[in-house]
Amino acid sequence: MKIAIIQPRISYFAGGSEKVSLRHIEYLSKYKDLEIYVYTVKASKNYTTEYKNILNNLKSKVNFHELEIPKRFEYIYKVFGGTNQDRWDSESILFSNLVYPFLCEKKFDVILSYYFVDTLFKPFCSKNIVYLGGYPRQEIPIYNSFLKFCDGTFSNSSN
């Protein structure tokens, strides 16, 4: 089985969903019958220590792909991650556009994402799964629509 893990932020940000995705990568890498591909951005600054350690320890078992951000979109990364919802959404839409050709080419059985906006642009031939790492303070109505594009969800909350 081929699994793609879509997590644009794990190379440079160490929030809750990023840490969960790193744990998933470590756990899934133990199964010999799984082919795991991880897609993230090529960090323009320092990589997070935890990501760098996992990359170094698992690169023989996991296919890591760091995608270059086109210069005209580097402005997104001038806003610090975690401070602005629009910044996350802009990054996710950009990253989805960059990763889409890879997802089509490899024909993954499962694509696992960790943020609703990361789930939008996925080939229909793959199961589109989202891991919900939290519950927003206020309901975001369009997120209910995003659920319809997912084949499955995992959640750490009963909400």
Side-chain angles (χ1 to χ4, degrees), residues 98-126:
L98 295 173
V99 76
Y100 187 80
F102 295 96
L103 301 177
C104 290
E105 176 189 330
K106 295 285 185 193
K107 295 185 173 112
F108 291 100
D109 297 300
V110 173
I111 300 172
L112 178 58
S113 302
Y114 295 83
Y115 182 57
F116 260 137
V117 184
D118 291 336
T119 67
L120 293 180
F121 307 107
K122 303 298 177 281
F124 291 127
C125 63
S126 302

Side-chain angles (χ1 to χ4, degrees), residues 26-156:
E26 286 180 314
Y27 179 79
L28 293 171
S29 71
K30 296 175 183 177
Y31 291 90
K32 293 179 178 154
D33 58 337
L34 297 179
E35 278 183 69
I36 303 159
Y37 293 75
V38 175
Y39 293 92
T40 190
V41 300
K42 183 170 185 162
S44 60
K45 296 186 180 187
N46 295 332
Y47 290 99
T48 61
T49 303
E50 193 169 3
Y51 170 76
K52 192 186 299 184
N53 289 341
I54 288 173
L55 173 68
N56 290 336
N57 291 336
L58 297 178
K59 63 184 166 189
S60 65
K61 296 179 181 179
V62 177
N63 301 286
F64 288 89
H65 296 277
E66 297 174 345
L67 305 181
E68 294 272 349
I69 299 302
K71 290 218 181 283
R72 70 182 193 162
F73 293 107
E74 287 178 352
Y75 71 90
I76 293 170
Y77 296 88
K78 292 187 175 162
V79 175
F80 182 73
T83 59
N84 182 314
Q85 185 75 38
D86 185 53
R87 186 252 189 253
W88 282 147
D89 293 347
S90 297
E91 177 185 34
S92 290
I93 292 168
L94 166 64
F95 190 78
S96 291
N97 188 41
L98 295 173
V99 76
Y100 187 80
F102 295 96
L103 301 177
C104 290
E105 176 189 330
K106 295 285 185 193
K107 295 185 173 112
F108 291 100
D109 297 300
V110 173
I111 300 172
L112 178 58
S113 302
Y114 295 83
Y115 182 57
F116 260 137
V117 184
D118 291 336
T119 67
L120 293 180
F121 307 107
K122 303 298 177 281
F124 291 127
C125 63
S126 302
K127 295 290 183 193
N128 189 8
I129 309 293
V130 63
Y131 180 93
L132 302 175
Y135 189 74
R137 288 186 184 113
Q138 294 180 316
E139 184 176 341
I140 303 170
I142 195 158
Y143 281 8
N144 294 327
S145 297
F146 294 173
L147 270 174
K148 295 175 182 151
F149 289 90
C150 297
D151 297 299
T153 59
F154 293 103
S155 177
N156 65 1

